Amino acid sequence: MSDVKRRFTVGLTGGIGSGKSAVARLFAQRGVDIVDTDQIARNLTGPHGAAMPALLAEFGADFADAQGALDRARMRALVFTVPDAKRRLEGILHPMIRDAVFAESLLGTGPYVIFDIPLLVESGTWKERVGRVLVVDCPEEVQLARVVARNGLPQAQVRAIMAAQVPRQVRLAAADDVIDNGGALDALAPQVDRLHAIYLTMAEEEVRNN
Ligand code: ADP
């Protein structure tokens, strides 16, 4: 998308329950634009979402539910049983998600933009599309306890979700910046303030170089 105005962009990521949403809220309170990639993916595959015609053409009309949204259970079952299905699904969805994320990022008026991307490290392609990778980190046992408390899921199910994500050390190795959320919630704001000051400077440089 070479015709697109460039804005300084931070990719925010972290394992499930690490505290991404809490961190994103603090940046939003400081006037930063937040683009929620999960929400964009849900909209694309929601009732009569923009990705639905292409998905139904690829997989068949019976992959829509009564509301015209993607039948997630059916798609999940297909992805688990048909070797090529995940690649075909992502081949349609990922470029549409990327385009929608960049389009939404241009609407904001804040000094810079944060893309909230839970699977930034796993997806491989986001890392080179953001100016900076910010990882929210906490010990895996803390993640587990928070998600059990938040979602009321059994421990085994949360462990299975965590096992499908990259290990903590792999995510940390991809980070330019790290927020430690292993402690109390009020330890986040000072860390966000420190990074926000750095990102504001980087955003100004980006404007100067454009
Ligand atoms: P993510 O968006 O990474 O899945 P959340 O920001 O939703 O994580 O945090 C997961 C859960 O843990 C939420 O219920 C949140 O309120 C809680 N939480 C986050 N950070 C802390 C913290 N430092 N101390 C206690 N609870 C926290």
Side-chain angles (χ1 to χ4, degrees), residues 7-29:
R7 297 184 71 198
F8 178 64
T9 302
V10 177
L12 170 67
T13 194
I16 182 169
S18 58
K20 288 179 299 298
S21 310
V23 167
R25 267 194 301 278
L26 290 171
F27 277 103
Q29 285 167 10

Side-chain angles (χ1 to χ4, degrees), residues 9-177:
T9 302
V10 177
L12 170 67
T13 194
I16 182 169
S18 58
K20 288 179 299 298
S21 310
V23 167
R25 267 194 301 278
L26 290 171
F27 277 103
Q29 285 167 10
R30 286 151 181 77
V32 180
D33 297 315
I34 312 289
V35 180
D36 180 342
T37 58
D38 265 0
Q39 184 61 49
I40 283 175
R42 279 194 296 274
N43 291 347
L44 286 170
T45 55
H48 306 291
M52 289 309 295
L55 291 175
L56 300 184
E58 177 71 23
F59 295 104
D62 46 357
F63 278 82
D65 66 16
Q67 285 71 45
L70 183 66
D71 182 337
R72 284 166 203 284
R74 199 182 179 113
M75 183 52 78
R76 208 173 300 124
L78 188 81
V79 162
F80 275 118
T81 50
V82 176
D84 210 26
K86 184 164 189 272
R87 191 190 57 76
R88 285 157 56 206
L89 174 67
E90 292 181 349
I92 293 170
L93 269 185
H94 284 183
M96 294 187 85
I97 293 172
R98 274 199 299 275
D99 286 352
V101 165
F102 284 111
E104 188 174 321
S105 77
L106 297 179
L107 301 177
T109 54
Y112 61 94
V113 57
I114 288 183
F115 293 172
D116 181 343
I117 313 173
L119 298 181
L120 182 148
V121 179
E122 289 82 348
S123 84
T125 59
W126 276 114
K127 200 170 165 2
E128 66 254 29
R129 291 184 158 86
V130 296
R132 204 87 186 154
V133 173
L134 170 57
V135 167
V136 184
D137 178 62
C138 71
E140 282 161 350
E141 291 310 305
V142 175
Q143 255 182 288
L144 179 70
R146 284 184 189 152
V147 178
V148 167
R150 182 187 63 187
N151 299 23
L153 295 175
Q155 281 208 6
Q157 201 173 329
V158 180
R159 283 196 195 279
I161 296 170
M162 287 168 59
Q165 302 186 342
V166 292
R168 182 181 183 193
Q169 293 310 324
V170 172
R171 191 179 295 107
L172 283 172
D176 295 304
D177 305 302

